[in-house]
Amino acid sequence: MIKSRKFDICLQFLHAIALAAGLAAGLVFAAQVIFGGAEAQETLPSGLNRDFNSSGFLSDIVVKDPFSGLALGGIDPLSYFIDGVPGLGEPENDLTFSGALWWFANIGNRAAFLDAPDIYMPQFGGYGAMAVARGHLAEGRPQIWLLQDNQLLLFYSQANRVAWQQNPQELAEAARLQWPLLSRQLVP
């Protein structure tokens, strides 16, 4: 338990550093827009690039694997809607979208996703819906999911999914209100 607690404290500290770096990058970009004219460059301080957040911290707009960049662990996002269960996509049917790599079972699913990403992408960037409703970020797990109002919601734990189902409309509204505030903390 002591090792686990130290590890948790270390992760919290590193997460705070990542958030601070993201805020600093946002301030630099805003200053470029304000003082640098209408065409601000998308540069970040100290040699950072737009992909510096691939370290695995919860700072990406879309939750993805920190090493491969793969969203949903390779699950085809349309499988939730078509098959009613998460099903793996194929690497040959991949697509880079919104800073993440997505796999699809076939090119038809890929085309449908491109036509309507707002429908098929997980809500709240794949962060846990219950966590977002409570005002914080936790990575959603592709195996713990729910379709609500034709939207894909992911959850950090089965307990969060069960709790969500007790009051889905009120929690969905809370999450919708929290998401704009939380997403500002994330690096685009």
Side-chain angles (χ1 to χ4, degrees), residues 46-121:
S46 329
L48 294 175
N49 62 45
R50 294 184 70 76
D51 294 325
F52 83 96
N53 54 348
S54 63
S55 61
F57 299 110
L58 299 180
S59 60
D60 290 318
I61 294 295
V62 174
V63 174
K64 61 186 176 187
D65 180 272
F67 301 106
S68 68
L70 193 59
L72 295 175
I75 293 172
D76 180 343
L78 277 79
S79 67
Y80 296 96
F81 297 88
I82 296 170
D83 304 324
V85 295
L88 280 177
E90 300 291 335
E92 60 269 12
N93 298 318
D94 70 341
L95 169 71
T96 300
F97 186 85
S98 196
L101 181 64
W102 303 82
W103 285 359
F104 300 92
N106 54 60
I107 58 171
N109 284 7
R110 181 176 181 246
F113 180 89
L114 274 173
D115 283 343
D118 294 352
I119 293 174
Y120 297 114
M121 283 180 62

